[in-house]
Amino acid sequence: MSIRTQYLALLRDLVALPSVSAKHESLPETAKLIADALRGLGAEVLYDDTYFAPFIIGKLTSAVSNAPTVIIYNHYDVQPAEPLDLWDSNPWQLTEKDGKLYGRGVDDDKGNLTARLTAVAEYLSEHNNQLPINITFIIEGSEETSSQHLDDYLAKYQQHLSGGLVIWESGGKNANEEVEIFGGNKGIVTFDVSAKTASHDLHSSLAAVVDSAAWRLTQALATLYDDNGHINVSGFYDDVTPPNHREIQLVSALPLTHAALVAQHQITVPLLTDKTGDDLKSTLYFSPTLNIEGIDSGYVGEGVKTVLPAKASAKLEARLVPGMDPDKTLLQIKQHFQSRGFSDILVTKTLGQPGYRSDMSDPEILRVIDVTAHYYKAQPVVIPTSPGTGPMYYIHEALGAPIASLGIGYANTNDHAPNENIRLDDYNQHIDVIKALIRSYEK
């Protein structure tokens, strides 16, 4: 059995484990499987299950004196697979079709992990079991739930964590088939908002004189934005760290257009902003957001129920840019509701983490860019930050090393959605790129 076949079998076994951190499912089983795989590579493994999602460190040490260290960060938890009826195959069974692999977590993030394990295994096999660098795997199991307790684990094992470069969990190719390299991501604070207007649901005839909880809540939520798409919370933008000159240049060079964004996602309503050029790109990558994830109130079943809801709730999120503190941001939102006469609206934090951006001119970031460009025979698209969220801030605080994100995905990978998939060609290319990165340290 070839090394690539061996680790594809590991990917099959990982996908079969429904390691949904939001449900606390199959996390120890998945973590133990990964820890065993690291031991099989010859790594010194630290396994800690103090919290609900076990934490793993796998250290492979070079025989070269004063060898640099590269950190590889991944996670083994996944999003729920529902709605199951929208999958064309079993989400918990790795399925190959037309050069693609399907399954929950096949890209985010189990396939990225096994591709990197494959790269290290092949390099060791081809070089008499010797590495020119130290490689440390950091693998957590709560990334999809805002990396709960990751900062606690990192603080506990600080003495084991040092390096000059971090290879981030994932990445891939854009709709133009260009390889993208990210150096940061936004933070986030998620929270529940609720209104209660009576002890029980009322007959809807009382709507002439009584506000329902549904109206009360939606009226409060409507105050969060002004008519120009600007977040209308006092102080919300005060701590935003503006992008530097290189970051502005990198984002300005991106191929994103208003028309392409609308076409890609088949958007049927006007965009929140009327920005169409560099200002659209800057807003997407460098501005915070405030979003309603979902609203629940009253009767939404079949037929009609003439009811005036007494309770209403919503789930919200704010994507944060560097400089913004999750708890301070949430306090500003609470104060906003109070100042607008909605002091009865209850706001409850659920998750939060700050944002981070790497210095994209750091020599180690430039090394990743050069290696990638040489392998693909084309310059990658370099982006200082992702519009999405991840725990880069915690990793950087612990290691102080620049972070580069690249991986096995492509424009139609469907992360977090039904029919999540990767292309085998992209998977194998990423293995080769990681091997090339290791070779770049050879003296």
Side-chain angles (χ1 to χ4, degrees):
M1 180 185 296
S2 71
I3 290 174
R4 297 200 183 196
T5 301
Q6 174 188 343
Y7 283 95
L8 278 173
L10 173 62
L11 177 57
R12 178 201 63 214
D13 293 342
L14 289 172
V15 168
L17 291 167
S19 50
V20 179
S21 56
K23 301 179 180 180
H24 292 203
E25 290 182 347
S26 302
L27 300 176
E29 298 93 329
T30 310
K32 288 174 182 176
L33 187 59
I34 293 167
D36 287 342
L38 285 166
R39 293 187 185 99
L41 269 179
E44 174 191 352
V45 175
L46 290 168
Y47 180 95
D48 191 328
D49 59 359
T50 300
Y51 303 102
F52 75 96
F55 179 70
I56 307 160
I57 298 176
K59 302 177 70 173
L60 294 112
T61 304
S62 171
V64 178
S65 60
N66 299 317
T69 298
V70 171
I71 306 289
I72 297 178
Y73 163 82
N74 286 99
H75 64 90
Y76 58 84
D77 63 316
V78 299
Q79 286 282 332
E82 290 83 355
L84 299 177
D85 60 327
L86 295 183
W87 284 80
D88 296 331
S89 57
N90 183 347
W92 308 117
Q93 179 178 329
L94 189 66
T95 302
E96 182 176 353
K97 182 181 179 182
D98 299 330
K100 298 176 183 178
L101 296 176
Y102 291 83
R104 174 54 88 227
V106 69
D107 179 61
D108 188 14
D109 182 42
K110 295 172 178 178
N112 280 283
L113 171 59
T114 58
R116 292 160 183 188
L117 291 171
T118 305
V120 174
E122 285 191 351
Y123 187 94
L124 288 169
S125 176
E126 294 163 2
H127 293 82
N128 197 29
N129 221 37
Q130 299 296 317
L131 290 168
I133 52 171
N134 305 313
I135 297 177
T136 299
F137 283 88
I138 296 176
I139 305 169
E140 63 149 320
S142 181
E143 192 273 345
E144 301 292 2
T145 48
S146 200
S147 294
Q148 297 174 72
H149 302 296
L150 176 61
D151 52 344
D152 297 314
Y153 281 128
L154 293 172
K156 183 175 181 179
Y157 294 105
Q158 182 70 56
Q159 73 273 21
H160 295 280
L161 301 174
S162 63
L165 171 68
V166 178
I167 299 298
W168 200 242
E169 49 150 333
S170 61
K173 297 174 182 174
N174 61 26
N176 296 324
E177 294 295 333
E178 299 166 308
V179 175
E180 294 182 333
I181 297 176
F182 288 92
N185 53 35
K186 290 184 178 180
I188 197 169
V189 60
T190 65
F191 52 101
D192 295 338
V193 179
S194 61
K196 182 178 180 181
T197 53
S199 61
H200 56 277
D201 288 350
L202 306 177
H203 193 285
S204 64
S205 63
L206 292 175
V209 293
V210 178
D211 233 355
S212 76
W215 277 121
R216 184 73 179 161
L217 179 64
T218 54
Q219 288 166 350
L221 296 179
T223 69
L224 292 172
Y225 271 88
D226 66 19
D227 293 337
N228 298 314
H230 183 87
I231 297 169
N232 204 25
V233 175
S234 179
F236 191 85
Y237 297 94
D238 286 357
D239 298 329
V240 168
T241 300
N244 61 34
H245 180 66
R246 175 161 168 75
E247 290 168 341
I248 292 172
Q249 284 184 316
L250 290 170
V251 164
S252 178
L254 297 177
L256 173 71
T257 67
H258 180 283
L261 183 66
V262 170
Q264 179 183 354
H265 300 291
Q266 301 179 33
I267 297 170
T268 58
V269 296
L271 296 190
L272 184 63
T273 172
D274 60 0
K275 298 177 174 68
T276 58
D278 288 348
D279 49 0
L280 173 66
K281 302 172 191 177
S282 180
T283 300
L284 178 61
Y285 287 98
F286 299 132
S287 293
T289 71
L290 189 52
N291 173 53
I292 301 171
E293 298 175 345
I295 300 177
D296 181 39
S297 185
Y299 179 76
V300 292
E302 186 177 351
V304 175
K305 183 180 183 183
T306 53
V307 64
L308 191 151
K311 296 179 181 179
S313 62
K315 289 186 176 295
L316 278 77
E317 66 179 44
R319 300 274 176 170
L320 312 178
V321 297
M324 299 178 72
D325 177 79
D327 291 326
K328 181 178 179 181
T329 299
L330 193 59
L331 177 60
Q332 291 168 337
I333 292 169
K334 291 179 180 179
Q335 292 171 340
H336 167 84
F337 285 137
Q338 293 169 358
S339 70
R340 292 303 184 96
F342 293 99
S343 57
D344 57 306
I345 297 293
L346 180 64
V347 179
T348 306
K349 178 183 176 183
T350 50
L351 299 170
Q353 59 186 224
Y356 166 77
R357 287 198 298 266
S358 290
D359 175 5
M360 301 308 286
S361 61
D362 185 280
E364 288 301 295
I365 297 287
L366 296 178
R367 177 195 295 271
V368 175
I369 294 170
D370 290 343
V371 167
T372 304
H374 184 265
Y375 175 80
Y376 286 100
K377 296 179 174 56
Q379 284 295 321
V381 176
V382 180
I383 309 174
T385 185
S386 161
T389 294
M392 282 190 178
Y393 175 86
Y394 297 136
I395 296 292
H396 180 73
E397 285 293 293
L399 298 170
I403 301 173
S405 180
L406 68 162
I408 64 175
Y410 74 112
N412 296 314
T413 287
N414 293 341
D415 284 354
H416 295 196
N419 300 313
E420 179 179 350
N421 71 95
I422 59 172
R423 299 180 300 199
L424 273 168
D425 285 348
D426 298 325
Y427 181 85
N428 287 314
Q429 287 170 354
H430 188 65
I431 294 171
D432 293 338
V433 168
I434 296 300
K435 287 170 64 178
L437 179 63
I438 297 171
R439 282 197 302 271
S440 74
Y441 290 93
E442 294 174 355
K443 295 181 179 179

